[in-house]
Amino acid sequence: MALFPRGKSIMSLAARRKARRSQRHVTLLALAGLLALAAAVPKLGWTRSSTEEHSDGPKRELLASVSCRGVSSFVSDGGWLLHVVAILYLFLGIAIICDDFFAPSLEIICEKLGLSEDVAGATFMAAGSSAPELFTSTMSLVSDNATNELGVATIVGSAVFNILIIVAATVIFSGETHLALDWRPVTRDCAFYAVSIAFVMGVMWDGKVYWWEGVVSVLFYLGYVGFMTINGSAMDLMERVARGFRRRTLGNKIASFKEQTREETDDLERSVVELSLSPEDDKAGGNDGTVDDEDEANNPFAVPDDWRKYPMWALSLPWYAAFTVTVPDCGKTGWKRWYLLSFFSSVLWISAISYGMVDAAAVVGCVLNVPEVVMGTLVLAAGTSVPDALSSVSVAQAGQGDMAVANAVGSNVFDIWLGLGLPWLVFLPARGGFEEVSTAQLWPSVCILAGVLLVYYASLVFTGFRLKRSMGYAYVLVYGLFVVYSVVGVWWMDVYDLRRDE
């Protein structure tokens, strides 16, 4: 997700790092609670037994739980708790590598290539915060303990999380009673997102994913990038078209915000210029002292003054030690020329961490009798969305929450078309050209994506593209209902009959 307006930062890199670090513990606690629920449900006898039906017949197992055959007795007898701890710790690691090492290298690549803000936001900057979803989808095809359902479910769950929780957190923590949004980029991203949802529906229709569908998916994404190269002209065209039938469609709501939005955009661009840290300033040496002070203040090895931050600092220390030794921090003064090495080193780390997350999640799901689609849509989806969530909250607290809101939907376009399509294109030709995918629960989840998008956009139209804090709380409630549906309906009641005879 391009957290900032198509490539530009509203805060210095050091300031964004500091804000994100201070909020990681909240996300990890929430994920720990979700995993604790997963562990408690079987102990309380709330899950259906795998042999509840046809007890005299052959043993039944989860459709996607191929990993059960390789689980040792140690893991089954309690060792799975170590896998739960590993999942949480890997979530922390992937948040650190993406925020502090991968994203800075992508910013420099965009700068070196001279990409426009729109193209940078749709390509490299989107890859920066959506890398966990992309690599999780990829590793679900590589891991022996998981199937592609886990990767697809992670993308689907992340899309729901982005449009509900990230948008809600942005408006709730923005410090404002409402956020006035520019209807044109919101409409643009929602339109592309709707097309991507329709594409996934078409792919899942026959329960098989073919390699050429990966090609089509990547081509769709390239078309999206191509559109972003003419984004300015497209936005002007949308404004001219809207002017012609505004009174008959949206009434005077958009009209009343036209001048206001334009003025706010101009003010926003001025604030971006003032707050951004430009390369020219670095070369001129005018900000050397400020940069050095920020680097020192955000040194991950410095003991925090606030004792409440000590546990998270201690847990993060091994990750920072490993990353500092193996990945050049091109976000620091004097290390920018090593951005390519930082980029490729970060990719290797993200791949390894994503593989561990997928593998551990598949094992925990098997032992606790949790379908992979539930582990993907809830646990892995929330964990891989950590960089997006933390960055969005930090941007909102800096007074620019409308930026994060406008780009939340755009992140889903990247996740679906490239997060799913690229792994299909790369790996499926060597696996017979296609992969069977259980659509029993994934199909309803994709329909939920469409419903959530409709509710989101309709609510913005109804309020004249003013995102109110009360709407944020409503989005959180809707996500809570999605969690209940996944846990109670899909897992506990097994409404989609995810078990089958061996």
Side-chain angles (χ1 to χ4, degrees), residues 23-33 88-89 91-92 312:
Q23 296 151 355
R24 284 175 183 153
H25 69 283
V26 177
T27 305
L28 287 178
L29 287 175
L31 292 171
L88 291 173
Y89 200 60
F91 284 158
L92 176 62
M312 183 56 61

Side-chain angles (χ1 to χ4, degrees), residues 46-76:
W46 289 352
T47 55
R48 290 174 54 181
S49 170
S50 61
T51 57
E52 179 180 332
E53 300 177 16
H54 310 292
S55 57
D56 295 332
K59 182 180 178 182
R60 293 159 62 86
E61 66 175 359
L62 293 176
L63 179 61
S65 57
V66 295
S67 59
C68 292
R69 302 188 184 96
V71 173
S72 65
S73 58
F74 168 76
V75 174
S76 301

Side-chain angles (χ1 to χ4, degrees), residues 145-346:
N145 286 336
T147 60
N148 193 223
E149 287 95 332
L150 187 61
V152 177
T154 300
I155 297 293
V156 171
S158 178
V160 176
F161 186 93
N162 288 344
I163 202 170
L164 292 177
I165 295 300
I166 291 183
V167 171
T170 299
V171 66
I172 291 173
F173 293 104
S174 65
E176 304 289 340
T177 57
H178 70 273
L179 297 175
L181 306 179
D182 187 339
W183 68 275
R184 295 171 299 171
V186 173
T187 302
R188 174 201 63 203
D189 290 335
C190 286
F192 276 104
Y193 182 35
V195 174
S196 67
I197 292 175
F199 172 79
V200 173
M201 288 182 174
V203 170
M204 299 297 170
W205 185 263
D206 59 354
K208 293 181 179 179
V209 178
Y210 295 89
W211 69 270
W212 58 265
E213 290 174 325
V215 175
V216 174
S217 183
V218 173
L219 289 177
F220 267 121
Y221 180 73
L222 293 178
Y224 172 68
V225 174
F227 179 89
M228 299 310 299
T229 63
I230 59 171
N231 180 67
S233 300
M235 295 297 100
D236 293 338
L237 177 61
M238 290 176 64
E239 180 64 26
R240 290 196 300 268
V241 172
R243 188 181 300 118
F245 62 87
R246 182 178 296 117
R247 295 181 182 275
R248 291 178 297 173
T249 54
L250 301 181
N252 293 323
K253 291 184 177 180
I254 295 180
S256 64
F257 287 108
K258 174 183 173 183
E259 294 301 327
Q260 177 182 343
T261 303
R262 183 172 299 167
E263 292 174 0
E264 291 175 350
T265 303
D266 293 339
D267 293 340
L268 189 57
E269 291 177 350
R270 285 193 293 269
S271 66
V272 168
V273 173
E274 293 173 357
L275 293 174
S276 295
L277 186 61
S278 64
E280 289 77 14
D281 291 337
D282 290 340
K283 294 177 182 178
N287 288 332
D288 285 346
T290 302
V291 173
D292 292 339
D293 291 342
E294 287 182 336
D295 288 345
E296 181 63 27
N298 288 276
N299 180 10
F301 299 102
V303 180
D305 297 331
D306 190 345
W307 65 269
R308 292 172 296 183
K309 297 180 180 179
Y310 187 84
M312 183 56 61
W313 170 79
L315 289 173
S316 303
L317 209 54
W319 283 121
Y320 277 112
F323 296 151
T324 301
V325 171
T326 57
V327 183
D329 189 354
C330 60
K332 290 185 177 180
T333 306
W335 287 90
K336 284 189 174 182
R337 65 180 181 275
W338 300 99
Y339 66 95
L340 286 179
L341 180 58
S342 179
F343 171 81
F344 288 110
S345 300
S346 298

Side-chain angles (χ1 to χ4, degrees), residues 425-484:
L425 171 62
V426 173
F427 290 98
L428 291 187
R431 303 179 64 168
F434 72 94
E435 180 92 357
E436 292 188 0
V437 178
S438 172
T439 59
Q441 194 271 334
L442 288 178
W443 179 257
S445 293
V446 174
C447 293
I448 290 175
L449 284 184
V452 169
L453 174 62
L454 180 61
V455 170
Y456 170 72
Y457 190 75
S459 62
L460 290 179
V461 172
F462 181 77
T463 60
F465 290 90
R466 284 181 178 270
L467 185 59
K468 301 179 180 179
R469 183 173 297 179
S470 58
M471 294 168 61
Y473 291 117
Y475 292 157
V476 173
L477 176 61
V478 172
Y479 187 77
L481 295 176
F482 175 74
V483 172
V484 172

Side-chain angles (χ1 to χ4, degrees), residues 361-413:
V363 172
V364 171
C366 174
V367 173
L368 299 182
N369 204 25
V370 183
E372 283 193 345
V373 288
V374 176
M375 291 294 293
T377 54
L378 294 184
V379 180
L380 287 183
T384 54
S385 296
V386 165
D388 283 355
L390 296 178
S391 297
S392 296
V393 171
S394 64
V395 171
Q397 291 178 337
Q400 307 294 347
D402 53 342
M403 290 184 179
V405 172
N407 287 278
V409 181
S411 174
N412 293 345
V413 176

